[in-house]
Amino acid sequence: MTSPILTIDTPAGPVRATAGPREADAVVFELGGAMRGSVHVTGTTDPHHWDQFTAVRACLGPVNAFKTTAPAEALPRLASSRTGYRGSLILYRDSLDRPEVSVNPLSSASDHPPSEKTAAVLTAVLRGCAEHVAQRADLPAILEASRQRDTPSLLRFLTWSTAYHQAEAVRLEREARAARPALRAAVAAWRTAARWLALSPHPVLLLMLADRPDSLTQEIRGLQWWAPYCVEAAAEEHERARRAQDEADSLRAEQRRRPRGCRPSLVDVP
């Protein structure tokens, strides 16, 4: 059984974090020692797979920072300071099943970045609390409750994302098609200007053919690059749309299934 009290070593000294009774989808830690305040830890999606609730997110303050904002007076702070800080950290597994963290921006209540030492303290406390929850026997229940909480908003976002990336793909394909005749027209104009220059040299013709901004030469170079770029970018947008649709389908399928049983811990239990 994981102890509800942990000691986290930080550059400012040890921080004691005491886990309160589990809420439906979160654990709140009260801090003592080198820090005062609280940390809110809940389940969340893998940063690379938004349909998989296999990660935990630790937020500075008593509430889920992704759902609401804690008042400035409720933000945790160093014991030697009056400045409260907000920010969060996600603990997840990488493709080789190793624990990884992703730290969202840390800032003071007045939106100033913390010093390097303070950032190290905040990150250590967030990670320590996240790792504690990741080792708990009730982690599957926390992840399942988090999935039920976030699935409706995720589905709305993924539906929007699918439509957006599809529309972007269509726009880029249209740009690629338009670039081809424009390139042919620019090349024809360049050849015509070159013939005129050979027959009757003129400064205007030299400017049109020179390698300078707004010349035919620069226009041709831009169009030669633009069409292939649009084709490649459109393919990437189609892939983003497909992935968003796949994740939305996976979330809907998960909604229809019963809650799963135990899931592996995010960090190795010592």
Side-chain angles (χ1 to χ4, degrees):
M1 182 72 178
T2 305
S3 171
I5 303 176
L6 60 151
T7 300
I8 304 166
D9 292 326
T10 78
V15 174
R16 294 187 307 277
T18 303
R22 178 173 68 85
E23 302 172 7
D25 61 359
V27 177
V28 177
F29 293 82
E30 293 301 324
L31 307 177
M35 276 191 71
R36 299 287 188 270
S38 56
V39 169
H40 183 286
V41 183
T42 186
T44 190
T45 59
D46 183 291
H48 306 294
H49 304 281
W50 289 8
D51 57 329
Q52 298 177 19
F53 281 81
T54 55
V56 295
R57 181 174 65 240
C59 303
L60 292 170
V63 298
N64 184 351
F66 278 57
K67 303 297 288 185
T68 186
T69 301
E73 61 271 16
L75 294 174
R77 61 203 66 208
L78 298 183
S80 59
S81 172
R82 295 183 179 180
T83 302
Y85 291 94
R86 57 171 55 95
S88 62
L89 173 150
I90 295 176
L91 174 67
Y92 65 101
R93 291 266 187 190
D94 66 12
S95 59
L96 298 177
D97 202 34
R98 298 172 302 193
E100 287 286 345
V101 295
S102 173
V103 181
N104 290 306
L106 303 171
S107 67
S108 69
S110 55
D111 290 328
H112 292 107
S115 67
E116 183 176 344
K117 178 181 177 180
T118 299
V121 174
L122 300 175
T123 301
V125 171
L126 287 170
R127 179 162 188 165
C129 293
E131 289 178 343
H132 177 93
V133 171
Q135 294 177 8
R136 289 170 60 117
D138 57 356
L139 174 64
I142 294 172
L143 295 176
E144 175 58 25
S146 301
R147 183 188 68 77
Q148 293 178 2
R149 177 197 67 210
D150 289 345
T151 290
S153 58
L154 270 174
L155 284 174
R156 288 192 295 271
F157 169 75
L158 290 170
T159 299
W160 170 86
S161 182
T162 300
Y164 171 81
H165 290 303
Q166 287 174 339
E168 279 295 287
V170 170
R171 181 186 67 79
L172 288 162
E173 288 168 344
R174 185 168 59 246
E175 291 276 352
R177 290 193 298 271
R180 295 185 183 102
L183 175 59
R184 290 194 295 270
V187 170
W190 188 95
R191 289 172 175 168
T192 299
R195 287 196 299 270
W196 289 348
L197 181 64
L199 295 173
S200 178
H202 192 281
V204 173
L205 295 173
L206 286 172
L207 291 175
M208 293 174 64
L209 298 174
D211 187 4
R212 59 180 301 278
D214 300 325
S215 69
L216 285 172
T217 299
Q218 284 293 319
E219 181 181 358
I220 290 170
R221 285 183 177 174
L223 289 170
Q224 286 174 331
W225 167 84
W226 182 242
Y229 165 80
C230 287
V231 170
E232 183 177 347
E236 292 174 354
E237 291 296 330
H238 277 303
E239 176 58 24
R240 293 188 182 103
R242 182 201 62 76
R243 180 170 177 177
Q245 185 62 59
D246 287 349
E247 290 180 336
D249 291 343
S250 176
L251 282 171
R252 292 189 182 97
E254 185 69 19
Q255 277 186 315
R256 293 190 291 268
R257 288 194 288 265
R258 292 181 179 180
R260 294 180 179 177
C262 294
R263 302 186 186 192
S265 173
L266 293 176
V267 297
D268 299 327
V269 180

